[in-house]
């Protein structure tokens, strides 16, 4: 599948090849009549997820742990039912615990390692390491329910054991401090994707946020291209959520490995700079990458409310423009209300 990057670079792609392998023996277990009842459709979904792992591309729980608990985990455990515990039970931003992930048949979760743009050029690397530390401590405190994995093979193994596979993705290239050495060190710590930008430009990549400072209308700079090639080499997935359209186009023409959009939506259905235009979606068919559709209302419906039907609309738009092999889910739980 890849000429460079190794197994980790296909960590979100493996389910496609697994599904194709199963198709050689029998059809995928998702044949549902258009006249099927809601219950019949739900049963088909449960059956599918029991055989094909669902990988969610983005979850912001770790930043909430910093915000609410200052990374102190004495009275916090992911294996608990957080709907019954303060402050989570009263928070519109709290959606995640291991019981709910299991109930939803989520086989693998990318935990977002996020630091705010205000830290750029200051202590961003320190904050990033602290967030990696808290994610690892959250995972290690629930060994019966989850474990940190580093490859597609690890996802498969944990799926077969009935545990949720945990992975890490760094949200925001400003956390790298423009250092390839930092990026390589993050890979060694278990990070498997880097979102090139957040709501701020980096010196080497332009974000999608209107009016971001300092201004950057260059897309991906020459140094940015070197960073992409080095990420390809070590096996770090390139995540283009939050990147400007120019940056995304530059990366798609530069990257030697499939890219992801870990939590994005389509501009055809919600016309904002943060969402993806049709030409970028079409380019994914050549790149082999994925758009992992977000559940964030501002991206989905361009309003304060959205429904599952709105999410399905974006999934179908990705399918129409890129193809069914390029659709994923990156809900953004614990970062949306």
């Amino acid at each position: 599948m890849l000429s460079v990057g190794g197994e980790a670079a296909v960590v979100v792609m493996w389910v496609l090849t697994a599904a194709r392998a199963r198709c050689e023996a029998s059809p995928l277990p998702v044949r549902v009549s258009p006249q099927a009842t809601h219950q019949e459709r739900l049963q088909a979904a449960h059956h599918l997820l029991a055989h094909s792992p669902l990988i969610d591309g983005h979850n912001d729980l770790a930043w909430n742990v910093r915000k609410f608990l200052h990374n102190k985990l004495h009275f916090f455990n992911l294996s608990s039912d957080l709907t019954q515990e303060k402050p989570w039970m009263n928070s519109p931003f709290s959606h995640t615990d291991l019981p709910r992930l299991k109930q939803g048949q989520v086989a693998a979760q990318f935990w977002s390692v996020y630091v705010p743009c205000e830290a750029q050029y200051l202590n961003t690397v320190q904050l990033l390491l602290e967030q990696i530390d808290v994610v690892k401590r959250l995972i290690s405190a629930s060994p019966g329910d989850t474990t940190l994995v580093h490859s597609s093979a690890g996802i498969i193994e944990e799926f077969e054991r009935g545990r949720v596979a945990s992975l890490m993705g760094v949200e925001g290239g400003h956390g790298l401090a423009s250092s390839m050495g930092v990026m390589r060190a993050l890979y060694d710590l278990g990070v498997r994707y880097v979102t090139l930008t957040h709501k701020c430009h980096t010196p080497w990549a332009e974000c999608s946020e209107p009016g971001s400072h300092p201004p950057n209308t260059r897309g991906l700079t020459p140094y940015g291209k070197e960073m992409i090639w080095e990420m390809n080499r070590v096996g770090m997935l390139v995540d283009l959520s939050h990147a400007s359209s120019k940056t995304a186009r530059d990366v798609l023409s530069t990257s030697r490995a499939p890219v992801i959009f870990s939590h994005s939506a389509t501009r055809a259905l919600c016309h904002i700079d943060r969402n993806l235009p049709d030409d970028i979606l079409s380019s994914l068919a050549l790149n082999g990458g994925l758009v992992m559709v977000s559940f964030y209302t501002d991206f989905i419906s361009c309003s304060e409310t959205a429904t599952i039907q709105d999410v399905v609309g974006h999934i179908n738009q990705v399918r129409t423009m890129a193809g069914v092999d390029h659709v994923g889910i990156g809900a953004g739980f614990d970062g949306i209300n």
Side-chain angles (χ1 to χ4, degrees):
M1 187 176 295
L2 295 178
S3 58
V4 296
E7 184 180 38
V10 294
V11 70
V12 296
M13 306 295 290
W14 82 269
V15 71
L16 304 178
T17 54
R20 292 189 189 108
R22 289 188 178 95
C23 281
E24 293 174 4
S26 61
L28 279 174
V30 70
R31 305 294 182 192
V32 182
S33 164
Q35 289 76 42
T37 65
H38 173 76
Q39 188 60 36
E40 289 170 331
R41 292 173 184 274
L42 194 58
Q43 288 174 350
H46 283 305
H47 186 59
L48 174 63
L49 295 176
H51 293 83
S52 300
L54 172 64
I55 303 166
D56 183 278
H58 193 82
N59 188 298
D60 286 306
L61 173 68
W63 187 251
N64 280 341
V65 171
R66 186 181 189 96
K67 238 181 0 180
F68 290 124
L69 303 181
H70 310 291
N71 286 359
K72 299 182 190 304
L73 304 181
H74 309 303
F75 303 104
F76 181 87
N77 193 289
L78 261 183
S79 296
S80 302
D81 178 3
L82 297 184
T83 64
Q84 305 301 314
E85 297 189 16
K86 295 180 180 180
W88 316 102
M89 62 189 295
N90 297 319
S91 170
F93 290 93
S94 178
H95 312 111
T96 309
D97 51 43
L98 285 164
R100 278 180 282 183
L101 286 176
K102 288 189 171 184
Q103 182 183 4
Q105 292 181 271
V106 178
Q109 179 68 71
F110 273 96
W111 303 105
S112 173
V113 180
Y114 162 80
V115 298
C117 281
E118 290 76 14
Q120 187 167 206
Y121 310 117
L122 297 172
N123 60 339
T124 180
V125 176
Q126 175 195 332
L127 293 178
L128 204 60
L129 292 176
E130 289 174 357
Q131 290 309 104
I132 289 173
D133 171 70
V134 80
V135 170
K136 288 191 169 187
R137 287 191 289 133
L138 286 169
I139 294 167
S140 64
S142 297
D145 297 312
T146 188
T147 191
L148 184 67
V149 303
H150 301 94
S151 67
S152 55
I155 294 176
I156 298 170
E157 290 170 8
E158 293 310 307
F159 181 67
E160 292 174 348
R161 290 173 181 161
R163 292 194 296 188
V164 177
S166 285
L167 304 102
M168 294 186 291
V170 165
E171 184 173 24
H174 59 281
L176 304 183
S178 297
S179 168
M180 292 187 192
V182 169
M183 183 275 294
R184 290 189 290 265
L186 292 174
Y187 183 87
D188 290 341
L189 289 171
V191 173
R192 286 301 178 263
Y193 76 64
V194 171
T195 315
L196 295 191
T197 65
H198 191 242
K199 294 182 179 181
C200 52
H201 308 306
T202 70
W204 44 276
E206 177 189 35
C207 77
S208 63
E209 193 75 8
S212 295
H213 295 285
N216 179 350
T217 57
R218 297 174 294 173
L220 193 68
T221 69
Y223 181 76
K225 292 181 180 180
E226 296 286 343
M227 181 71 81
I228 297 303
W229 290 328
E230 185 65 359
M231 290 172 68
N232 291 162
R233 187 188 71 81
V234 302
M236 184 79 81
L237 283 161
V238 177
D239 175 22
L240 294 175
S241 287
H242 288 290
S244 71
S245 294
K246 187 171 189 341
T247 298
R249 293 186 185 103
D250 289 347
V251 171
L252 284 165
S253 66
T254 300
S255 180
R256 297 164 179 164
V259 304
I260 65 169
F261 293 82
S262 69
H263 58 302
S264 290
T266 67
R267 198 174 296 181
L269 300 183
C270 177
H271 197 276
I272 58 173
D273 290 340
R274 173 69 172 77
N275 284 346
L276 308 182
D278 284 349
D279 69 292
I280 289 177
L281 295 175
S282 298
S283 297
L284 281 178
L286 294 175
N287 171 265
L290 287 174
V291 177
M292 309 182 87
V293 176
S294 170
F295 290 0
Y296 188 37
T297 55
D298 288 1
F299 305 160
I300 295 298
S301 63
C302 284
S303 71
E304 294 183 356
T305 60
T307 67
I308 282 293
Q309 284 73 23
D310 294 320
V311 175
V312 170
H314 285 268
I315 288 172
N316 284 338
Q317 182 68 12
V318 176
R319 178 183 178 180
T320 297
M321 300 308 302
V324 70
D325 288 347
H326 308 282
V327 179
I329 290 176
F333 286 136
D334 282 76
I336 59 177
N337 56 25

